[in-house]
Amino acid sequence: MRSAAAGLSAVGAAAMLSGCDPSPEELSRKQFGPPTEVAAFSSVAECVATRDYTQQQCEAGQRAAANDDNRTAPRFADKSVCEDQFGSGSCQPRTDGGQSFFSPLLTGFLIGQLANGGGYRYGGLYRDRRDDRSYTGSGAWLYNGGYGGRNYRYQVGSSAITAPVTTSRIQTRSSVVSRGGFGGRSSTRGGWGG
């Protein structure tokens, strides 16, 4: 009887502690605003195959992501720090404005429709090897994969697609550790939608 009560108390305490941490969705909303639906693709062919977008829209999405990659990709001072997050062989040296750094390879693009008939917004995606999720250059992660029954639909914080992203700060090992990694996911790791 006593051990059963102690076990229940431990379960209750764990539940209370986990209830104190905000969910990944709450963290994303706090940093990037309310969720908006986006479509994520690794290629133009994958995008066109959905029949939700024309060849031209898919090509525009991939082109915009490639054109913006040097400006929006996460930047790291050391190759090892970049590869810790994005995988061995997934980071390349770059320079911009006289600064040298390492950035992950672009792994896809997203298409998001802006509100009030404002057209489409495109962005690049980077695949984190630790949790196998895609992130925008600003560190906003895509969640609730398969949204609307379609496995290429996700949600992301709305400011991740409405505001232009410029990554100028080069991250060091200490800055990445203090934030819990790219995207600042320090308090939670499991149970993300997707």
Side-chain angles (χ1 to χ4, degrees), residues 4-5 27 51 53 60 65 81 91 95 100 104 106 113 132 173:
L27 291 172
R51 299 180 185 207
Y53 301 97
V81 176
C91 296
T95 58
S100 296
L106 185 68
Q113 190 161 7
D132 198 33
R173 184 168 303 279

Side-chain angles (χ1 to χ4, degrees), residues 15-124:
M16 286 175 41
L17 286 175
S18 66
C20 295
D21 285 341
S23 71
E25 288 85 357
E26 290 170 324
L27 291 172
S28 183
R29 281 189 198 105
K30 187 175 185 178
Q31 186 173 3
F32 298 104
T36 189
E37 183 180 306
V38 296
F41 305 104
S42 60
S43 69
V44 169
E46 185 180 85
C47 177
V48 172
T50 68
R51 299 180 185 207
D52 283 346
Y53 301 97
T54 66
Q55 176 88 24
Q56 292 78 18
Q57 289 169 322
C58 296
E59 288 173 354
Q62 185 182 56
R63 189 172 43 254
N67 289 342
D68 291 345
D69 181 47
N70 196 49
R71 181 178 56 84
T72 63
R75 299 177 178 194
F76 297 87
D78 301 307
K79 184 176 183 179
S80 63
V81 176
C82 183
E83 289 186 341
D84 281 350
Q85 230 165 319
F86 295 97
S88 179
S90 295
C91 296
Q92 60 190 346
R94 296 187 187 191
T95 58
D96 183 31
Q99 292 183 314
S100 296
F101 52 91
F102 293 88
S103 290
L105 299 172
L106 185 68
T107 58
F109 62 96
L110 65 78
I111 300 176
Q113 190 161 7
L114 300 177
N116 302 323
Y120 291 97
R121 174 84 173 129
Y122 307 106

Side-chain angles (χ1 to χ4, degrees), residues 152-184:
Y152 57 91
R153 292 283 182 186
Y154 293 86
Q155 292 183 329
V156 68
S158 56
S159 72
I161 66 163
T162 57
V165 176
T166 301
T167 305
S168 57
R169 185 168 157 248
I170 297 176
Q171 302 172 68
T172 63
R173 184 168 303 279
S174 60
S175 67
V176 169
V177 168
S178 71
R179 282 188 3 266
F182 179 62

